[in-house]
Amino acid sequence: MSTENFIPIDTLCQHYKLEISFFNNLNENGLVDIELVDNVQYIHKDSIYEIEKIVRMHKELDVNIEGIDIVLNLLQKIDALQTELHNVRNRLLLYEN
């Protein structure tokens, strides 16, 4: 497996000044997917945006892993509701014209 689109967890730990156990806990709670290649743990580059949000919540707001999981689920529900509202407004505009 090519590791071209992956970032080693050690690099993320150094960058964010976090322990590797933090990322393992995120993986155990289903918040990130860790890939193991040649005994090195990696996270896909596409996950960086979510990791940035998670790290900010953890460090700046002192939210624990369980709290982060709840916040991310609520944010997903808000996004889904906003999308649904947008679609309903578009349908309403169609009938108003």
Side-chain angles (χ1 to χ4, degrees):
M1 171 188 241
S2 172
T3 59
E4 168 179 316
N5 291 322
F6 292 88
I7 301 169
I9 289 184
D10 292 339
T11 303
L12 293 173
C13 289
Q14 290 172 0
H15 179 74
Y16 295 116
K17 296 176 180 61
L18 292 167
E19 297 292 325
I20 196 162
S21 61
F22 178 77
F23 290 98
N24 288 330
N25 287 336
L26 292 176
N27 184 50
E28 289 170 6
N29 285 285
L31 298 176
V32 297
D33 292 324
I34 293 178
E35 299 288 331
L36 188 64
V37 178
D38 296 330
N39 291 327
V40 178
Q41 293 179 320
Y42 293 93
I43 293 181
H44 199 277
K45 287 181 180 180
D46 292 343
S47 301
I48 290 299
Y49 177 72
E50 286 294 315
I51 289 172
E52 287 281 336
K53 286 196 300 191
I54 290 169
V55 169
R56 276 193 311 248
M57 280 189 265
H58 179 68
K59 289 183 131 191
E60 295 174 12
L61 302 175
D62 200 31
V63 179
N64 63 14
I65 302 286
E66 292 79 14
I68 291 170
D69 188 24
I70 291 169
V71 170
L72 291 177
N73 285 329
L74 288 173
L75 288 173
Q76 285 177 338
K77 287 180 183 182
I78 289 170
D79 286 342
L81 287 171
Q82 286 177 334
T83 301
E84 183 179 351
L85 178 61
H86 180 73
N87 291 337
V88 168
R89 282 183 178 163
N90 285 341
R91 278 190 271 151
L92 182 61
L93 285 174
L94 179 70
Y95 291 114
E96 285 180 349
N97 292 328

